Amino acid sequence: MDFLQAFYLGLLQGLTEFLPISSSAHLILIPAFFDWVDQGVAFDLAVHVGTLLAVVIYFRKDVFGIARDGLISMSQRRVVGQGALALYLVIGTIPAGLAGLALLDFIDNELRAVEIIFATTLFFGLLLGLADWLPKRQRSLESLNWKDALLVGIAQAIALVPGTSRSGITITAGLFLGMSRQAASRFSFLLAIPITALASMVKLLEVATADVMVDWSAFLVGGAVSFVVAITAIHYFLKWLNKVGMWPYVIYRVILAGVIYAVLM
């Protein structure tokens, strides 16, 4: 992998991981468009670590407060501060964690086809548009309950299918549950932390056990670029959320589906 390929893939991962347009689809499609060799599991680990650091640092105050209150709530056996939100993040992570353990090989071997990505890009993009178009509700994070967390978690598990978009489908689920755009997006981003950490650990274990040779220059470039771009993407996504809504991303996904159909199918 040369410098420019590592740079572009890191940029792509950082930009698409937290926007509702599917990072997995782009990381599969772009090498197909340009006939690049597969970037390999070590590079995937680098860009995942970059985006994980980005969301943790951006929400560092929330992460610290939620973790602290969660531990206090556990020790005192009562809800303290944001202890309930800590529990809901755990509940929301369980479906994707179990689905990943059970189905990851099947997904990697059977569901990375261009036809699947075309269908998921289009369908879940339009579903996001429908959720954003429906009459707005104003539920906040404080109004969440364990059933909401479980439903959003199930949606996150569906996002293991390439082209779905983890952030897109979890925000869609939040909007259908009556959450405001800000609340749905914030819960989606916080929910990214445990599942991305788990995915990174799985990839790290794969790299260690498979004796994969690591291209450290590509690793560092991809990780650094994905970190900088991801933290910028989160900031501007939340800043512009109420002004532009979800429809720019819906339109992008419809156009992308059209390009996939015209060029790769």
Side-chain angles (χ1 to χ4, degrees):
M1 179 182 295
D2 60 30
F3 174 85
L4 285 179
Q5 185 178 348
F7 177 87
Y8 288 134
L9 289 176
L11 186 151
L12 194 67
Q13 169 71 12
L15 184 62
T16 59
E17 177 67 20
F18 298 110
L19 298 184
I21 55 178
S22 181
S23 62
S24 61
H26 285 78
L27 288 176
I28 294 170
L29 293 171
I30 293 301
F33 275 123
F34 293 102
D35 197 28
W36 289 344
V37 296
D38 185 83
Q39 57 267 23
V41 66
F43 185 82
D44 285 348
L45 172 62
V47 294
H48 274 82
V49 169
T51 52
L52 175 61
L53 288 175
V55 70
V56 168
I57 290 174
Y58 190 86
F59 291 106
R60 58 193 178 278
K61 293 181 180 178
D62 299 85
V63 171
F64 176 77
I66 292 167
R68 179 199 60 209
D69 292 347
L71 292 172
I72 294 173
S73 297
M74 287 177 59
S75 65
Q76 297 186 6
R77 297 184 180 180
R78 63 184 182 89
V79 176
V80 175
Q82 300 182 88
L85 181 55
L87 174 62
Y88 300 153
L89 290 173
V90 172
I91 292 172
T93 301
I94 290 172
L98 293 177
L101 289 174
L103 302 173
L104 194 57
D105 287 341
F106 172 76
I107 291 167
D108 283 344
N109 294 327
E110 305 294 334
L111 299 183
R112 293 171 66 90
V114 170
E115 293 80 6
I116 297 291
I117 296 174
F118 163 76
T120 53
T121 297
L122 182 60
F123 176 75
F124 289 109
L126 293 174
L127 194 65
L128 173 64
L130 175 61
D132 196 50
W133 174 78
L134 290 174
K136 302 297 180 294
R137 301 184 180 94
Q138 296 300 320
R139 291 186 62 192
S140 65
L141 283 181
E142 290 71 26
S143 72
L144 293 187
N145 56 53
W146 70 268
K147 294 179 182 178
D148 298 324
L150 182 59
L151 289 172
V152 176
I154 292 171
Q156 182 170 245
I158 296 171
L160 291 170
V161 180
T164 302
S165 172
R166 192 210 62 82
S167 62
I169 195 170
T170 51
I171 292 172
T172 297
L175 292 173
F176 275 124
L177 289 169
M179 298 167 66
S180 67
R181 289 172 178 164
Q182 289 286 345
S185 300
R186 204 168 191 85
F187 188 66
S188 171
F189 291 153
L190 291 172
L191 198 58
I193 295 172
I195 198 65
T196 306
L198 288 172
S200 297
M201 285 189 287
V202 169
K203 291 182 182 295
L204 179 61
L205 182 63
E206 188 175 346
V207 169
T209 56
D211 195 26
V212 175
M213 183 175 292
V214 177
D215 182 347
W216 288 106
S217 60
F219 188 100
L220 293 173
V221 169
V225 172
S226 68
F227 167 77
V228 172
V229 175
I231 205 167
T232 305
I234 294 170
H235 175 74
Y236 283 103
F237 177 82
L238 292 174
K239 181 179 180 180
W240 294 335
L241 188 56
N242 285 328
K243 294 181 181 178
V244 302
M246 298 297 170
W247 275 92
Y249 310 105
V250 175
I251 294 169
Y252 173 82
R253 290 180 67 135
V254 171
I255 293 172
L256 178 61
V259 172
I260 294 169
Y261 185 82
V263 177
L264 296 177
M265 293 179 65

